[in-house]
Amino acid sequence: MTIHQNLIAGEWVGSTGSENVNPSDTNDIVGLYAQATADDVSQAIAAAKAAFPAWSRSGILERHAILKKTADEILARKQELGTLLSREEGKTLAEGIGEVTRAAQIFDFFAGETLRLAGEVLPSARPGIGVEITREPLGVIGIITPWNFPIAIPAWKIAPALCYGNTVVFKPAELVPGCSWAIVDILHRAGLPKGVLNLVMGPGSVVGQTMLDSPDIAGITFTGSTGTGKRVAAASIEHNRKFQLEMGGKNPMIVLDDADLGVAVEAAANSGFFSTGQRCTASSRLIVTEGIHDKFVDALTERMKSIQVGHALRPETHIGPVVDVRQLKQDTDYIEIGVKEGAKLAFGGERLERDTPGFFLQPTLFTEATNQMRISREEIFGPVVSLIRVKDYDEALAMANDTPFGLSAGIATTSLKYATHFKRNSEAGMVMVNLPTAGVDFHVPFGGRKASSFGSREQGKYAAEFFTVVKTAYTQA
Ligand code: NDP
């Protein structure tokens, strides 16, 4: 098997590789991917630093052309890259192709943004003086990504970093290097100058940590767990460096008595279980008012019976496997915790055997849960949902907000009054009415509050907040 190498200073390097294993079938090795050493990472950072002056002053047409070409190639190869994504991460093929299409849209959006860079010209408070406000690139950006969106998250960090004139050192999650390698290869062939984008694959404890410890990285954008996010924050403060964190969630979805039952069940099933519940925006807490509670539980469990769990590449599969054995253990440990805490296991909870060795788990629903149980407070990151019964909207809203997290929150209701009140009073960064809590657009801000996020929003034109620094210049004519 050939080794997919790291890209450092425009050269593909690395002679030993680690196996990328398919979670639907552990006999299927997706490929071998190089492991960067701390020394490789230091060389990548030095290359990005050396490339910054020229790239930050490069023409907008050059940047536009590279990003556009990348978008076009990703889209043209969506079937192949979607298959790669499903093989390495375990999302269904439809979800994999959807995510690849999203990555192409993101590169296309930021190709367009290169042509829309603008500042402001204002009169000074002092007559005869002009004021210009411009945005400049930060410098070397460190990008650290998680395993659950192997192509979309790298795309929504790499595309704006390059668009605004930064250079990049990129470390993907060790579990899913395949899609990351593919987009770096596409960008490299699209004509990026040497050192502008460097790929360093390997474990977070070596590769990520060397990035955190470097004084030459001007900004780190991170998506992953709250624990690693705190390390990124502490190291970045130490180095006086800008940082942006997207972390976990325990996203509530309220179902009110007046909800359309079909809409509510579909939104809950989609955001609780699709993508195997491995989305930071998944609804893992359903908060349901008394009048609809029993009907909703019956309809949701009926819906869950029709969900097919299996090999991600099979057309009949609705939910693929859990990403690896460690995550599977975390999910089943939480299922045991839920039972011990006294919640009622209404559906699922069992590991499933299929004709290939993989990490298959039934979608799982706990009813009669309370908001104080660990299964309702801690992020499980699997297809495991707790359902809590409440008396009315006021209690539901208080419970939805009673969480350390604040990423996404939903409500199913036909009442304009409650929908409007919820949009205003939810303590989440993203609010959904009659929609799953997961599933967002690429051209508008993404991010949360409290322990879910830190720093400015990602995506859309709001990405400029992180990837640029504002300069105010005064001129006396
Ligand atoms: P981790 O925090 O374990 O890993 C995220 C990234 O950080 C990986 O690339 C990892 O490398 C790297 N890393 C690990 N240790 C260090 C270190 N010491 N220094 C620097 N980097 C390090 O999260 P997971 O990959 O397990 O992702 C799942 C988590 O991500 C969930 O909690 C989920 O909620 C959250 N998430 C949040 C999203 C959001 O936008 N809010 C979106 C998607 C996920 P390696 O893989 O090599 O260990």
Side-chain angles (χ1 to χ4, degrees):
M1 247 181 204
T2 54
I3 293 174
H4 296 81
Q5 294 170 299
N6 287 310
L7 184 68
I8 299 174
E11 305 295 331
W12 292 107
V13 294
S15 51
T16 52
S18 109
E19 288 183 347
N20 182 357
V21 178
N22 180 348
S24 295
D25 177 358
T26 53
N27 292 325
D28 177 28
I29 305 304
V30 180
L32 291 177
Y33 290 84
Q35 299 273 290
T37 61
D39 195 41
D40 291 333
V41 180
S42 301
Q43 285 181 36
I45 295 169
K49 191 176 175 189
F52 178 70
W55 179 250
S56 63
R57 290 175 178 76
S58 59
I60 55 172
L61 286 186
E62 182 185 358
R63 289 188 229 161
H64 173 266
I66 292 169
L67 295 175
K68 181 77 177 83
K69 217 169 159 186
T70 300
D72 292 347
E73 182 171 338
I74 292 173
L75 198 59
R77 292 172 55 193
K78 68 178 182 184
Q79 185 76 29
E80 171 213 337
L81 293 174
T83 306
L84 171 64
L85 196 160
S86 297
R87 265 179 86 200
E88 70 175 347
E89 198 268 350
K91 282 194 176 101
T92 64
L93 186 56
E95 290 171 333
I97 292 172
E99 190 182 325
V100 169
T101 306
R102 169 61 53 99
Q105 289 165 333
I106 291 165
F107 276 101
D108 193 52
F109 178 87
F110 283 103
E113 285 298 279
T114 58
L115 307 182
R116 287 189 285 269
L117 298 174
E120 289 179 74
V121 179
L122 284 72
S124 161
R126 291 163 285 164
I129 295 177
V131 181
E132 289 160 37
I133 304 169
T134 50
R135 287 189 177 272
E136 295 185 352
L138 272 186
V140 178
I141 301 285
I143 295 180
I144 302 179
T145 57
W147 50 260
N148 66 334
F149 282 92
I151 197 164
I153 294 179
W156 82 51
K157 294 181 189 295
I158 293 171
L162 298 176
C163 157
Y164 297 115
N166 301 283
T167 56
V168 171
V169 177
F170 167 38
K171 183 234 163 311
E174 219 197 341
L175 273 178
V176 292
C179 289
S180 294
W181 188 91
I183 54 171
V184 170
D185 172 53
I186 294 169
L187 279 156
H188 179 59
R189 285 186 290 97
L192 271 184
K194 283 181 186 210
V196 170
L197 172 63
N198 301 272
L199 173 69
V200 278
M201 299 175 286
S205 54
V206 176
V207 177
Q209 195 61 45
T210 308
M211 290 165 68
L212 300 194
D213 294 341
S214 170
D216 290 328
I217 293 192
I220 291 200
T221 174
F222 167 86
T223 301
S225 62
T226 308
T228 313
K230 284 185 178 163
R231 298 173 81 119
V232 174
S236 296
I237 287 165
E238 178 76 17
H239 290 290
N240 203 19
R241 160 206 298 149
K242 205 170 173 182
F243 60 99
Q244 175 183 56
L245 312 174
E246 289 299 340
M247 301 173 287
K250 196 73 196 172
N251 309 294
M253 190 181 129
I254 294 174
V255 180
L256 294 186
D257 287 354
D258 67 11
D260 177 311
L261 187 63
V263 167
V265 166
E266 217 35 56
N270 176 311
S271 52
F273 308 120
F274 287 9
S275 298
T276 324
Q278 297 174 154
R279 294 184 285 191
C280 47
T281 47
S283 323
S284 46
R285 287 187 300 147
L286 298 174
I287 301 171
V288 184
T289 49
E290 263 165 4
I292 198 170
H293 179 275
D294 293 355
K295 267 187 291 182
F296 179 77
V297 170
D298 288 348
L300 182 59
T301 44
E302 208 47 48
R303 175 73 179 88
M304 290 171 78
K305 286 181 197 158
S306 69
I307 295 175
Q308 300 292 321
V309 180
H311 194 297
L313 294 176
R314 304 255 168 94
E316 67 277 11
T317 297
H318 301 126
I319 296 182
V322 173
V323 74
D324 72 348
V325 72
R326 214 176 48 160
Q327 183 63 48
L328 181 68
K329 179 165 182 339
Q330 177 163 314
D331 297 349
T332 50
D333 283 354
Y334 270 109
I335 292 168
E336 268 179 41
I337 289 168
V339 171
K340 283 199 190 121
E341 285 180 313
K344 180 179 163 203
L345 188 55
F347 190 90
E350 296 293 324
R351 190 173 173 180
L352 297 169
E353 293 297 324
R354 292 291 180 258
D355 58 3
T356 51
F359 310 115
F360 304 105
L361 181 66
Q362 278 185 310
T364 300
L365 178 69
F366 280 108
T367 55
E368 310 303 337
T370 71
N371 203 41
Q372 298 317 315
M373 291 176 175
R374 285 183 64 194
I375 53 165
S376 305
R377 298 205 79 75
E378 297 170 17
E379 185 175 55
I380 300 173
F381 220 53
V384 184
V385 169
S386 17
L387 191 147
I388 305 162
R389 185 199 299 257
V390 288
K391 111 175 149 290
D392 56 17
Y393 170 74
D394 290 338
E395 191 184 357
L397 174 67
M399 205 168 275
N401 287 336
D402 178 11
T403 167
F405 298 104
L407 187 57
S408 183
I411 189 166
T413 179
T414 52
S415 154
L416 182 62
K417 180 178 117 184
Y418 289 129
T420 307
H421 190 270
F422 187 66
K423 281 190 278 183
R424 177 64 192 87
N425 291 284
S426 163
E427 292 170 6
M430 296 174 293
V431 181
M432 313 289 178
V433 178
N434 294 322
L435 287 165
T437 54
V440 295
D441 285 357
F442 64 90
H443 64 303
V444 292
F446 177 94
R449 300 183 183 178
K450 301 196 262 186
S452 290
S453 301
F454 186 90
S456 50
R457 291 285 185 261
E458 300 198 77
Q459 304 205 52
K461 63 183 163 57
Y462 285 74
E465 282 301 319
F466 178 74
F467 291 99
T468 63
V469 60
V470 169
K471 180 175 277 174
T472 314
Y474 296 82
T475 308
Q476 176 154 304

